[in-house]
Amino acid sequence: MAAMWLFGFIGFILFIPHKDRRKGILAAIMFQAFIWLCDMPSFKFGLLSAPVRLFPKATDLTVTINYFFYPVLFAIFYVHWNAKNNRWFRLTYFCIWISVITIYDNILEIYTDLIKYGSLNWFGMWIYIGILFYISLICCNWFYKEKPPIKSYVGGTNED
Amino acid sequence: MKTEWWILLSVYTVATGVLFFMPKNRFRLAVVAFLFMQVITFLTGLCVVELGLIEYPVRSFASINRTSFDYEFYIFPVTCAVFNVWYPNHRRPLVQLGYYFVFSTVLTFGEVIIEKYTHLIIYIHWEWYISWITIFISLFIVRLFCVWFFLKPRT
C-alpha cells in the first residue's frame, strides 16, 4: 500500500510532462469522481471488497486505490493519449492500459488482502476498468474540446 | 420516508436545480471547482469519521461507508462550484472576504440546525466553529486551485 503511494507520486512526476500537469490533475480528479461513484454500489452489492485498507473504521472502500493510485494511472494514460493517432492505434493503446491494470489488480487480489473479488472475476474487472476509463476519457475530452486556449473565467485574475 | 431522507432529497433537488442556472461559459470552472472540492472533502470526511469526531447516522450506502456520501460527493462540491462561478473577483478585497464569510456562515448554520434536529449528522467531539473554519479554509484552497488551474501559461 505504501508502495502504491510512493510509486504514484514518482509516476506522476516522471511520466507527466511539466506543461501537462494541469491536464494530468484534471484527469486524475475526474477519474476519482467516477471510480468513487461506481465503487459505492459495487462494494455495496459485494462485487468487491477490501479487507486491508486505510481508514478501516470510516469506510469499506479502498482509499489508496480509489483516491490516489488509479487516478494517477489514468492521468498518465490521459496525458499521453493522442487523438490524432489513428483509430486502431488508439484502441490498442486503450486496451493495453486497461489490460495491464486488470492484471495488476488480479495480482493484488491473489497475493494480498488489499482487494478481494466477490462476485466479480477478472473479465468483469477488465470491463469495469474499461468503462471507468472510457467515461473519464470522454469527459476529459469534452473539457479540453475548446482548444486553444481554454477560456478562463475564473473571473479576471488572468484576464487583466 | 423519514424526515432525514426528505431533507436529503430536497437538498439534492435544490443543488441540481442550481446547476441549471449556471452560465454556460463558466461550466468548466464549475467542473474543476466541483471535482477539486471532492478531493478535499473525501479526505477530510474520512479522517473526521475515522477519528470519531462526527457521526452520520442516516446516510447513503450505509453498510459500506460511514462518511456522508451525499454531503461530500455532491452537496458541498456543488456549493463550492456555485461559490467559484459567482465569485466577486473584481470587487474590493473586503467584499471578497465577506463573500467567504457569507458562504461559510450559511453552510455552518445549516449544518448546526440539521445537527440539532435530525440524525443526518451528530457532533461527537466537534464544535460549530470548527466546521466554520474548515469550510472557510477548504473554500479558500479550492479558489486558489481554480485560479492556478485557469492561469494562462506564460509564453
Side-chain angles (χ1 to χ4, degrees):
Chain A
M1 196 154 70
M4 271 201 267
W5 281 93
L6 188 66
F7 287 126
F9 270 116
I10 296 174
F12 194 85
I13 294 163
L14 278 188
F15 293 111
I16 295 187
H18 193 66
K19 65 178 168 55
D20 283 338
R21 58 189 204 272
R22 284 187 177 77
K23 215 172 170 182
I25 290 176
L26 180 90
I29 58 182
M30 190 77 90
F31 186 77
Q32 194 222 138
F34 283 115
I35 194 171
W36 217 269
L37 190 61
C38 294
D39 263 15
M40 283 283 167
S42 49
F43 274 71
K44 181 164 174 84
F45 296 113
L47 265 62
L48 294 163
S49 60
V52 178
R53 56 186 186 264
L54 281 179
F55 306 112
K57 263 199 325 212
T59 183
D60 286 359
L61 270 67
T62 155
V63 176
T64 313
I65 290 178
N66 280 6
Y67 188 78
F68 187 71
F69 195 63
Y70 283 4
V72 166
L73 290 182
F74 179 76
I76 298 172
F77 162 83
Y78 185 71
V79 164
H80 296 282
W81 172 268
N82 190 348
K84 283 201 259 344
N85 287 328
N86 73 49
R87 189 184 304 159
W88 291 110
F89 184 85
R90 278 182 290 164
L91 191 67
T92 326
Y93 180 72
F94 185 81
C95 287
I96 289 174
W97 264 92
I98 62 174
S99 305
V100 168
I101 291 179
T102 311
I103 292 167
Y104 172 77
D105 211 78
N106 270 280
I107 293 171
L108 278 189
E109 202 267 335
I110 296 168
Y111 294 106
T112 72
D113 279 337
L114 284 173
I115 191 152
K116 283 283 166 225
Y117 294 170
S119 42
L120 203 69
N121 56 13
W122 70 267
F123 188 66
M125 196 65 200
W126 191 79
I127 292 176
Y128 186 65
I129 291 177
I131 292 173
L132 281 175
F133 262 61
Y134 193 67
I135 298 176
S136 314
L137 182 65
I138 289 176
C139 290
C140 289
N141 279 340
W142 165 80
F143 192 91
Y144 282 106
K145 198 170 56 184
E146 260 177 36
K147 281 179 185 174
I150 300 168
K151 293 235 171 70
S152 57
Y153 288 97
V154 198
T157 25
N158 36 358
E159 307 282 300
D160 34 50
Chain B
M1 209 157 49
K2 279 161 66 182
T3 340
E4 278 85 357
W5 291 108
W6 281 111
I7 294 177
L8 274 187
L9 194 70
S10 50
V11 175
Y12 263 106
T13 320
V14 171
T16 314
V18 168
L19 289 184
F20 286 101
F21 288 102
M22 267 178 199
K24 274 267 155 37
N25 54 3
R26 296 189 186 176
F27 209 66
R28 282 180 174 75
L29 171 63
V31 169
V32 172
F34 179 86
L35 290 174
F36 196 70
M37 193 43 137
Q38 280 186 349
V39 175
I40 297 177
T41 52
F42 277 148
L43 199 60
T44 41
L46 285 170
C47 291
V48 161
V49 173
E50 181 76 20
L51 297 172
L53 305 178
I54 290 185
E55 209 177 283
Y56 302 95
V58 179
R59 57 185 186 264
S60 305
F61 302 109
S63 56
I64 50 157
N65 201 17
R66 258 76 62 198
T67 62
S68 169
F69 182 74
D70 314 286
Y71 182 64
E72 279 153 24
F73 187 85
Y74 196 67
I75 296 162
F76 197 24
V78 167
T79 318
C80 177
V82 169
F83 174 85
N84 272 283
V85 164
W86 281 292
Y87 190 81
N89 207 54
H90 294 287
R91 306 293 292 277
R92 278 175 295 140
L94 204 65
V95 177
Q96 300 190 13
L97 195 67
Y99 193 67
Y100 277 102
F101 265 78
V102 169
F103 264 80
S104 316
T105 311
V106 168
L107 278 172
T108 312
F109 192 67
E111 196 179 274
V112 168
I113 290 181
I114 287 174
E115 201 270 332
K116 268 226 164 68
Y117 297 106
T118 73
H119 286 297
L120 280 172
I121 178 168
I122 287 179
Y123 292 171
I124 300 171
H125 301 288
W126 194 264
E127 296 297 334
W128 63 268
Y129 55 82
I130 312 182
S131 277
W132 195 90
I133 294 169
T134 44
I135 290 171
F136 193 98
I137 294 174
S138 52
L139 286 175
F140 183 66
I141 296 173
V142 173
R143 180 69 199 166
L144 280 185
F145 178 81
C146 284
V147 170
W148 172 78
F149 190 90
F150 288 101
L151 212 62
K152 277 205 187 108
R154 275 181 228 125
T155 42

